[in-house]
Amino acid sequence: MQTETRSPDDSPPQAPVAPVLDVAGPDAGAAEGTTRTGDPPASPLTLAVLPLRNTIVFPGTVVPLSVNRAGSLRLLEESLPQGKMLALVMQKDPANDEPGPADLHEHGTLAKVISMMRQTQNGVVILVHGEDRIRVKNPVQTEPFLRAEVEVLPSVAPATDDNTAAAMANLRESAVKLLKLRPDASEEAVNAVNGIHDASTLTDFLASNLGLEVGEQQALLEERDVLRRIARLQGHLYNQLHIAELQSKLRQDVQSEFSEAQKRAYLREQVRAIQKELGEDGGTEEQVEDLRRRLDEAGLPDKAKAQAKKELKKLEITPAASPDHSVTLNYLETLADLPWQKLDEEHVDLKKAQEILDRDHYGLEKIKRRLIEYLAVRKLNPAGHGPILCFLGPPGVGKTSLGQSIADSLGRKFARISLGGIRDESEIRGHRRTYIGSMPGRLIQELRRLGTRNPVIMLDELDKMGADFRGDPASALLEVLDPRQNHEFVDRYVDLPFDLSQVMFIATCNTLDTVPAPLRDRMEVVQLPGYTEREKLAIGRSYLVRRQVEEHGLKPEQCPWTDEAISTVIEDYTREAGVRNLERQIASVVRHVAAQVAKEETDRVEVTPAVVVEALGAAQFGRESRLQSSAPGVVTGLAYTSVGGEILHIEAVRYPGKGGFILTGQLGDVMKESVRAALSLVRSRADKLGIDPKEFEETEVHVHVPAGAVPKDGPSAGIAMFTALASLYTGRPVSKDVAMTGEVTLRGLALPIGGLKEKSIAALRAGIKTILIPRLNEKDIPELPAEVRETVRIIPVDTVDDVLREALVSE
């Protein structure tokens, strides 16, 4: 079944915007088989039903409808030769292209087809006249179009008393007042309202022309009581009158201000003439000449050059005291400073690039290899449009510094734009030059500051942008990050195309969950996972300690560090995937040493774990560790967080009751569903596990995931939840040396998960000896750090049977 609508895509160019009242003689009367207000309902009619989308046709109005779809065209071809009457009914969901009887509203309009005109080869325009309200009753045909029995519903006429007359007069007066306040309303519309004396006709006419929501129009169509329709329309009129009065006041204020502006402009011209006679206007001419010279040197494109000449002429005749003078001057200076033709010479030396990356970053071999490949392509095809790289990873893993290293290896200038907290689209696209203080967007400002058209620009914290009534910055970035579109990027302030295709954009984010899908599609995501403790130790020894010692004015021999001291800081004073907090804590220890040296208490301090504790105090974090003993119902799970991997101790207990089930530990909806699925799986395998089914009815289960104050969620806890419950009911403890991750199905299959590297690092850090992972994650094992693969035994599993076989302690 097809849907017809008067949407902009389907309506003919000549179609009126709103319905008109049919007051043109005999044709406006009721058609055969229809009823008038107050008449008893006639016997049901059988008519073809034409569904409408977001369109209501009221009785007494004439409306053009565009018919383009094959089913609707067939409806007209087969129905119109037999009669001109159709049932017009709006569908409930406008997105449904093939609505059935259940997808349509019950109430609609009986309409007569006045004329039909072919619009295109596959479409026609019909002009229909609304006759009466109807109710669709019994469908008698559904294919190729809907035909049904319809019942004509007469309106309930109001009583002819003073209250009815007052309500009619009030409605008409409000409608006329609203029309007079609208600048686009014609005198014919006012005369039409004054010329309607029938209450039902007046309400239908106003309902069609007040611009109401289609839902409210449908409600008015379904309302048979005329007095109730009058009351509802009166409420809408009051609201629109209030808005129209405010708009009228604003128009008057603007006209008054415009007249005042003309007066001020005339007086400024007088002042300018006086200044010219006194010889005091030479400053503006000097500015204009200087700007003209700078604009000629900037090498503007033809379109920009024409705009600059126009603005220069405007600046010449604008008084220096005028606000427009400063606005025009700032705009021309921006055009003159932009690097329209300036490009830094690029030197792609892959050996040097590798040296810079190795110098600035420890590890990250896979990331470095990808960057070298990226630079190799740039060397072979400098004019090519490579992908936009997006570094994804936890805080402190070196995403921003990688961008600086890329710029250094290419010999390009580098700029960083922090997008965190940006909610205004104008931060990207710029502000329009409609007020004093407007300025270009952040991109144009950075290019103006750098003075080159091919820098490396890092869009930092891409995932922390917001959106509000001022626009969506993420949508504005779609054009910026598309190499096929950004060669003609138009900043609203500059209002001229500027070529961004030579800019190398690099984005960073901590998570992709808050990055819109179209924006993710513009970028190639390069993941930077967290560091292992061994990697952090090497970074601290080779980079962080040396840098902090130099920044605090000490010599390396005055503050040597032992590896044990660095490990103490890593294990007891930091809990992160990166090394940012590690460097902060190292700086605190170095300050402690610097204070002793400055006081001349000593000239050298070797930093040992004891010195670390003296400087930083008691340990801030307890080391994650495996369970001290094996117990039924207690399982070690693995989780992925924004700061790396963590281990979770899942606890389950049971006690006498009536089969209740309790979940605590601030579990999210996904984890709650995992627990319920795991319990159902355990109950379904009770016989296989040797569990008495009566135990499920005679005991209650409590599942808790410490710590209770930390929210937890994610689709990877199913295996651990099942193992905890199976262990609890069978009484067999889970090995304290085993941790596991993976989701579970009701058939007992292990589903793949993400973040395996971070989770395995957390297991290594906690002293776990064996990890159970889904078989489908076996392909990720080669990507794990060598330290993990050498120390931890990783066992892929297919089903929960494999999990229990590896995890439960043998009896």
Side-chain angles (χ1 to χ4, degrees):
M1 188 176 301
Q2 305 300 319
T3 302
E4 305 310 324
T5 178
R6 289 185 298 122
S7 65
D9 292 336
D10 295 335
S11 59
Q14 70 276 17
V17 176
V20 297
L21 181 66
D22 185 15
V23 292
D27 289 339
E32 182 181 355
T34 66
T35 60
R36 284 298 183 185
T37 302
D39 295 340
S43 59
L45 304 172
T46 299
L47 295 175
V49 179
L50 182 64
L52 305 179
R53 180 162 51 193
N54 289 335
T55 302
I56 302 291
V57 178
F58 282 90
T61 60
V62 177
V63 179
L65 297 175
S66 178
V67 182
N68 296 299
R69 299 180 177 94
S72 296
L73 292 171
R74 185 169 177 181
L75 181 151
L76 297 178
E77 292 173 359
E78 296 186 10
S79 301
L80 292 185
Q82 302 176 9
K84 304 298 183 182
M85 308 305 295
L86 294 176
L88 305 180
V89 184
M90 188 175 70
Q91 62 189 70
K92 299 174 183 178
D93 181 10
N96 189 350
D97 289 331
E98 296 184 359
D103 300 322
L104 303 178
H105 286 280
E106 185 180 1
H107 293 77
T109 306
L110 179 66
K112 178 181 179 181
V113 179
I114 300 175
S115 65
M116 182 171 68
M117 178 180 65
R118 183 160 298 278
Q119 181 185 21
T120 62
Q121 184 178 0
N122 298 319
V124 298
V125 176
I126 60 173
L127 197 64
V128 297
H129 173 265
E131 300 287 346
D132 270 304
R133 288 170 168 78
I134 59 171
R135 178 191 292 119
V136 179
K137 300 182 72 176
N138 301 321
V140 298
Q141 173 187 318
T142 58
E143 293 295 340
F145 54 84
L146 178 62
R147 184 182 294 273
E149 292 183 355
V150 299
E151 176 187 2
V152 178
L153 303 176
S155 296
V156 178
T160 55
D161 53 16
D162 293 340
N163 290 335
T164 302
M168 276 284 292
N170 193 24
L171 183 65
R172 181 180 288 106
E173 180 182 352
S174 299
V176 171
K177 185 177 180 181
L178 178 62
L179 289 172
K180 290 182 177 180
L181 285 173
R182 288 181 173 177
D184 56 342
S186 63
E187 188 65 27
E188 288 79 6
V190 176
N191 294 335
V193 172
N194 288 326
I196 301 174
H197 301 290
D198 179 67
S200 178
T201 304
L202 180 61
T203 57
D204 289 339
F205 175 73
L206 294 178
S208 300
N209 291 276
L210 285 181
L212 304 178
E213 297 287 340
V214 290
E216 182 61 27
Q217 286 186 331
Q218 180 66 31
L220 287 169
L221 182 66
E222 295 176 3
E223 181 58 67
R224 297 174 57 189
D225 191 300
V226 177
L227 277 180
R228 293 180 183 173
R229 295 209 297 265
I230 292 176
R232 296 185 73 150
L233 285 169
Q234 190 64 58
H236 289 289
L237 280 171
Y238 281 150
N239 292 335
Q240 294 196 21
L241 273 173
H242 178 66
I243 296 173
E245 288 171 353
L246 291 177
Q247 291 175 333
S248 178
K249 183 177 181 303
L250 289 173
R251 284 195 298 269
Q252 294 174 1
D253 293 342
V254 170
Q255 290 176 355
S256 175
E257 291 179 3
F258 183 71
S259 300
E260 185 66 23
Q262 287 180 320
K263 178 181 177 182
R264 289 196 298 268
Y266 173 75
L267 292 176
R268 288 196 187 99
E269 285 296 325
Q270 297 281 26
V271 171
R272 186 169 180 270
I274 294 173
Q275 290 177 337
K276 186 175 182 180
E277 290 294 329
L278 296 175
E280 298 177 353
D281 62 339
T284 300
E285 293 181 1
E286 293 177 359
Q287 285 181 330
V288 170
E289 290 302 320
D290 180 62
L291 282 172
R292 182 175 285 109
R293 176 186 56 80
R294 290 167 57 191
L295 290 168
D296 291 340
E297 295 174 354
L300 276 67
D302 293 340
K303 187 175 181 180
K305 190 177 297 183
Q307 179 69 17
K309 289 181 179 179
K310 180 180 177 182
E311 294 294 330
L312 279 172
K313 291 181 181 179
K314 178 180 176 182
L315 183 64
E316 288 176 335
I317 62 176
T318 302
S322 171
D324 289 342
H325 182 275
S326 61
V327 172
T328 306
L329 180 62
N330 291 337
Y331 175 71
L332 288 171
E333 288 183 341
T334 300
L335 293 184
D337 291 340
L338 281 176
W340 298 93
Q341 305 296 336
K342 297 178 182 177
L343 292 171
D344 286 343
E345 187 175 355
E346 183 174 287
H347 303 281
V348 182
D349 187 338
L350 297 182
K351 291 184 179 180
K352 179 182 177 182
Q354 185 70 56
E355 293 174 357
I356 293 175
L357 291 173
D358 292 337
R359 179 197 68 192
D360 296 341
H361 301 275
Y362 179 83
L364 304 177
E365 298 303 327
K366 183 178 179 181
I367 308 301
K368 293 177 182 177
R369 184 171 65 252
R370 177 64 187 90
L371 293 179
I372 292 298
E373 293 170 355
Y374 179 82
L375 297 178
V377 174
R378 295 284 306 182
K379 180 178 182 179
L380 297 176
N381 184 14
H385 299 295
I388 307 296
L389 298 180
C390 177
F391 296 147
L392 170 66
V397 296
K399 300 185 293 297
T400 304
S401 57
L402 273 174
Q404 180 67 66
S405 299
I406 293 174
D408 292 343
S409 62
L410 291 174
R412 293 192 185 189
K413 294 180 180 179
F414 177 77
R416 172 182 169 272
I417 299 178
S418 178
L419 301 178
I422 288 182
R423 294 178 174 272
D424 190 351
E425 182 185 358
S426 299
E427 293 285 340
I428 306 298
R429 292 191 179 276
H431 303 261
R432 299 186 187 279
R433 290 186 297 124
T434 54
Y435 56 89
I436 299 175
S438 57
M439 62 182 65
R442 300 276 293 277
L443 289 170
I444 295 297
Q445 291 185 47
E446 289 296 335
L447 291 173
R448 179 184 180 184
R449 181 180 64 83
L450 296 173
T452 179
R453 196 158 55 85
N454 63 339
V456 176
I457 294 184
M458 173 155 284
L459 303 175
D460 213 3
E461 309 293 354
L462 190 68
D463 55 324
K464 296 177 180 59
M465 288 188 298
D468 59 13
F469 64 94
R470 292 168 292 186
D472 184 4
S475 299
L477 283 176
L478 292 177
E479 178 186 0
V480 173
L481 298 181
D482 192 337
R484 301 291 186 270
Q485 300 181 27
N486 60 12
H487 64 284
E488 288 190 348
F489 173 73
V490 178
D491 183 276
R492 289 171 178 165
Y493 179 85
V494 178
D495 201 25
L496 291 167
F498 191 88
D499 187 2
L500 298 180
S501 62
Q502 297 301 315
V503 178
M504 180 182 291
F505 289 104
I506 300 175
T508 72
C509 62
N510 299 131
T511 177
L512 289 176
D513 295 341
T514 56
V515 180
L519 190 56
R520 292 200 302 267
D521 186 58
R522 296 290 198 278
M523 304 178 295
E524 177 184 339
V525 178
V526 179
Q527 291 193 351
L528 280 75
Y531 295 111
T532 65
E533 289 189 1
R534 183 183 297 179
E535 291 172 335
K536 288 183 180 180
L537 176 61
I539 293 171
R541 183 195 310 119
S542 304
Y543 299 91
L544 305 184
V545 170
R546 182 179 57 192
R547 182 161 61 208
Q548 291 302 319
V549 168
E550 292 177 357
E551 289 183 0
H552 286 79
L554 297 175
K555 297 179 180 179
E557 59 270 15
Q558 290 180 299
C559 187
W561 282 65
T562 65
D563 288 350
E564 292 77 11
I566 300 175
S567 297
T568 300
V569 176
I570 294 171
E571 296 172 4
D572 297 340
Y573 297 92
T574 62
R575 181 68 73 244
E576 59 178 346
V579 294
R580 186 172 296 158
N581 197 41
L582 173 61
E583 183 172 14
R584 192 177 296 117
Q585 298 293 359
I586 290 176
S588 298
V589 177
V590 175
R591 281 197 303 271
H592 177 74
V593 175
Q596 297 181 34
V597 174
K599 293 177 182 178
E600 298 183 354
E601 297 176 359
T602 181
D603 59 355
R604 181 182 184 276
V605 176
E606 182 180 14
V607 180
T608 62
V611 176
V612 170
V613 174
E614 180 183 349
L616 300 180
Q620 299 177 7
F621 298 97
R623 178 183 174 88
E624 293 176 340
S625 61
R626 60 190 177 93
L627 297 169
Q628 297 302 315
S629 60
S630 302
V634 182
V635 175
T636 302
L638 298 174
Y640 174 75
T641 69
S642 61
V643 295
E646 297 284 350
I647 67 170
L648 297 176
H649 296 311
I650 301 170
E651 303 172 350
V653 297
R654 59 174 178 161
Y655 46 87
K658 298 181 179 180
F661 190 63
I662 301 175
L663 298 174
T664 56
Q666 284 211 52
L667 304 184
D669 292 338
V670 177
M671 287 192 71
K672 288 179 180 178
E673 291 179 357
S674 296
V675 179
R676 294 189 179 95
L679 180 60
S680 297
L681 184 57
V682 171
R683 298 186 67 168
S684 68
R685 292 173 171 245
D687 293 340
K688 188 174 182 180
L689 296 174
I691 303 173
D692 187 356
K694 293 182 180 180
E695 295 186 21
F696 297 111
E697 307 298 333
E698 298 174 354
T699 59
E700 296 192 5
V701 176
H702 185 170
V703 177
H704 179 67
V705 183
V710 180
K712 310 166 193 72
D713 201 5
S716 62
I719 290 178
M721 294 297 180
F722 169 82
T723 306
L725 293 172
S727 170
L728 176 68
Y729 278 105
T730 59
R732 296 176 60 187
V734 179
S735 174
K736 65 181 184 298
D737 296 323
V738 174
M740 59 193 69
T741 180
E743 193 51 271
V744 68
T745 70
L746 292 178
R747 295 178 295 161
L749 301 178
L751 298 181
I753 46 85
L756 182 59
K757 177 179 179 180
E758 290 79 3
K759 294 177 181 179
S760 63
I761 292 173
L764 173 68
R765 188 168 56 234
I768 298 294
K769 298 179 180 178
T770 302
I771 301 176
L772 305 182
I773 66 172
R775 176 76 63 181
L776 294 176
N777 284 109
E778 190 174 8
K779 65 182 185 306
D780 300 323
I781 295 178
E783 302 295 334
L784 300 181
E787 183 181 358
V788 173
R789 289 184 276 111
E790 295 169 0
T791 308
V792 180
R793 180 176 172 228
I794 303 173
I795 303 177
V797 296
D798 294 305
T799 65
V800 293
D801 297 327
D802 301 333
V803 175
L804 296 181
R805 183 169 52 253
E806 298 290 344
L808 296 183
V809 177
S810 302
E811 297 180 351

